[in-house]
Amino acid sequence: MPYTYRVGSVINTIFFFWKGCYMILLFRIFLWIGILGMVNLQATQYVLSPTDDWFSILTGSSLQPGDEVVLTSGVYTTSSNIAIKHQGTADNPITIRAATGANVVFTHDIDHNVLNLEGARHLILQGLEVTGGSMGIRIYENSQGEDAKFITIQDCYIHHTGEAAITANHNNQTYEGMIFRRNEISHTGGTGEGLYLGSNYNQSQFFNSLIENNYIHHLNGSLVVQGDGVEIKEGSYNNIIRNNVIHDINYPGVIVYGTAGNGGRNTILGNVIWNCNDNALQAAADANVENNLIFNTLGDGIHVREHQNSVPGNLNITNNTVINNTGYYGIRITDDNISGDILLTNNTVYTADSNNAMLLAVSSQGGLYQLIASGNSILGMDQININLQYLFPTMLITGTDTNQVIMSALSSFTVPEPSTIFVVFFGFFAILFHCRYLKKF
């Protein structure tokens, strides 16, 4: 009996001990929930107009994680430099946005960038119109040497700038986790890039970022000396450029260099590009180029060559459609050497001269690397009906699982038996699909 009593006492002691620990744990959990709730309750919303002291709020240090600045309609301008330096957190970013339905315009003189984001982190700019100035939005480190990171620019309209629209290209800096989405960019000046990201020769790196659903057009004014749509420089890596619509520009719609071994490949996916005064899409190395629609460009549709220190290689070029009736190549891959395998598969190329559909001229480094081309369909034609607003060709292609060339033009093309019809292409619907999220088109 005493033995049984002692066992029961031990069991009761253990039970009450763990019950007490459990209650303490619950207390701490509810305490932290309360503290976090108080932090969220302390977030402030500022509603400002052009007649308020918006400059002090935007360029000062009063904004805290979770705060939101809502701007009403009007023109926001000043003679001073507009430098936004705020840093939110991943869970509580700082937001500067236009009020619902408001037309909020930021502008500056040619001696100033319109907006400067100096060391800003976890910052969201939304629904703003940015025009005039030198560069539209320039992103770089602050005076303490803190790099700008995790910035989202969305639903903005950036146009008629003296130089590039958005830049993140200061040397010896890193740019991580940027998101540029659903923006319209047009009518730049000077070098005229829509998005200039990273620096030459791996001097800065732009990485782990997303560029999607933007509408970039008319970077081809008389004073524009370059005019790329999206340019990602050497050493930048693991970026996704997808579902953008780009047209009427001087330089390539999208151009990526190589990653310089810094990280994963860049991905160029599902973009629509036309009316370029250069190659439409250009990649040097370390990229996936997939499901893009390209037409009516003065240069090559897709062009691969050495650029700076980036030698062609580690490329996957798949499922793209190129319509190029200007006499240049649909797809051209040329270099004395390649730095890795190049996979060229399941692309469809329509050209004015079938002899110019593809040019594949590279050295295989003594068999160390390969250029693998298979499943591509090529159609030579005398003429294709492309309208600036509507693209609605119906193409019928016979095909096997090898590269092929159909030499005849559409006017003399014999329609094959139904069992051999493999591709019916409706470009107009593709453009509508890519534009469905865009604010202005």
Side-chain angles (χ1 to χ4, degrees):
M1 186 63 137
Y3 178 78
T4 305
Y5 175 77
R6 285 199 301 272
V7 171
S9 298
V10 171
I11 292 173
N12 288 336
T13 301
I14 293 173
F15 173 76
F16 284 111
F17 172 76
W18 284 109
K19 184 177 181 181
C21 292
Y22 177 71
M23 296 302 294
I24 292 172
L25 178 62
L26 283 178
F27 173 77
R28 289 182 175 178
I29 290 173
F30 284 115
L31 178 63
W32 278 109
I33 290 174
I35 291 173
L36 292 174
M38 291 175 63
V39 169
N40 288 332
L41 287 174
Q42 291 174 355
T44 302
Q45 184 184 76
Y46 299 83
V47 179
L48 303 172
S49 73
T51 59
D52 295 322
D53 189 11
W54 59 269
F55 182 82
S56 296
I57 297 296
L58 295 189
T59 64
S61 58
S62 61
L63 295 182
Q64 300 300 310
D67 285 355
E68 181 181 56
V69 178
V70 180
L71 302 170
T72 61
S73 291
V75 177
Y76 294 75
T77 188
T78 177
S79 60
S80 301
N81 194 40
I82 304 175
I84 299 173
K85 308 174 184 179
H86 304 293
Q87 295 185 355
T89 65
D91 293 330
N92 292 287
I94 294 172
T95 301
I96 301 171
R97 68 173 179 86
T100 302
N103 183 26
V104 175
V105 181
F106 280 90
T107 189
H108 222 311
D109 60 70
I110 193 63
D111 295 324
H112 294 81
N113 303 318
V114 181
L115 296 176
N116 298 278
L117 307 183
E118 295 186 8
R121 297 184 179 184
H122 299 291
L123 174 72
I124 300 173
L125 300 184
Q126 181 173 335
L128 309 178
E129 182 175 347
V130 177
T131 187
S134 179
M135 297 178 187
I137 300 175
R138 189 157 204 187
I139 306 171
Y140 52 92
E141 68 181 10
N142 60 24
S143 58
Q144 289 76 44
E146 296 176 313
D147 291 333
K149 298 182 178 182
F150 306 111
I151 293 171
T152 297
I153 301 174
Q154 60 189 17
D155 302 314
C156 292
Y157 178 30
I158 305 162
H159 63 102
H160 292 93
T161 54
E163 290 286 342
I166 298 176
T167 66
N169 63 345
H170 275 216
N171 289 343
N172 304 312
Q173 297 182 26
T174 59
Y175 299 92
E176 179 183 4
M178 304 294 186
I179 299 176
F180 304 143
R181 63 156 65 102
R182 296 191 305 269
N183 302 291
E184 179 177 358
I185 296 173
S186 70
H187 298 93
T188 53
T191 56
E193 297 89 349
L195 297 169
Y196 186 160
L197 310 173
S199 301
N200 289 316
Y201 295 99
N202 192 25
Q203 294 181 87
S204 70
Q205 297 78 42
F206 183 92
F207 59 98
N208 296 343
S209 296
L210 176 63
I211 302 161
E212 66 174 357
N213 296 322
N214 299 286
Y215 177 34
I216 302 172
H217 61 99
H218 290 97
L219 312 184
N220 59 355
S222 60
L223 299 179
V224 174
V225 296
Q226 295 183 24
D228 310 78
V230 179
E231 182 172 17
I232 297 185
K233 290 289 192 175
E234 184 174 88
S236 296
Y237 60 92
N238 201 35
N239 301 294
I240 298 175
I241 307 104
R242 69 184 180 197
N243 299 339
N244 302 284
V245 174
I246 304 171
H247 68 87
D248 290 281
I249 58 177
N250 269 350
Y251 269 28
V254 177
I255 178 171
V256 297
Y257 295 35
T259 65
N262 293 329
R265 295 183 181 188
N266 295 303
T267 297
I268 307 169
L269 173 67
N271 302 282
V272 181
I273 305 171
W274 75 92
N275 283 7
C276 300
N277 294 332
D278 202 314
N279 307 313
L281 193 158
Q282 189 165 316
D286 311 317
N288 299 316
V289 181
E290 303 173 353
N291 296 313
N292 300 283
L293 170 62
I294 295 166
F295 62 96
N296 218 38
T297 178
L298 292 183
D300 300 322
I302 297 174
H303 186 95
V304 174
R305 67 174 179 85
E306 180 178 348
H307 214 117
Q308 294 184 0
N309 293 320
S310 300
V311 177
N314 302 314
L315 289 165
N316 180 16
I317 304 172
T318 304
N319 295 329
N320 301 282
T321 299
V322 180
I323 303 170
N324 204 3
N325 63 339
T326 61
Y328 285 84
Y329 292 97
I331 298 176
R332 175 158 58 168
I333 303 174
T334 57
D335 207 272
D336 293 335
N337 298 295
I338 59 177
S339 62
D341 290 340
I342 299 176
L343 185 63
L344 181 68
T345 61
N346 299 326
N347 300 283
T348 302
V349 180
Y350 307 101
T351 56
D353 180 353
S354 61
N355 294 318
N356 288 349
M358 289 187 184
L359 175 62
L360 310 178
V362 297
S363 168
S364 63
Q365 289 280 6
L368 182 61
Y369 303 117
Q370 299 183 76
L371 192 159
I372 304 169
S374 68
N376 300 292
S377 296
I378 300 166
L379 176 63
M381 61 187 66
D382 295 331
Q383 184 177 0
I384 185 169
N385 182 24
I386 295 179
N387 185 281
L388 292 180
Q389 294 180 333
Y390 302 106
L391 172 64
F392 196 77
T394 301
M395 307 291 182
L396 304 178
I397 302 175
T398 59
T400 62
D401 195 28
T402 58
N403 293 321
Q404 60 167 325
V405 179
I406 300 176
M407 301 298 293
S408 60
L410 280 181
S411 58
S412 60
F413 180 56
T414 302
V415 178
E417 294 298 321
S419 61
T420 64
I421 298 177
F422 283 88
V423 179
V424 179
F425 170 64
F426 296 100
F428 174 68
F429 289 119
I431 292 177
L432 289 181
F433 175 79
H434 285 287
C435 297
R436 67 191 185 280
Y437 293 120
L438 292 174
K439 176 179 61 175
K440 298 181 177 71
F441 187 71

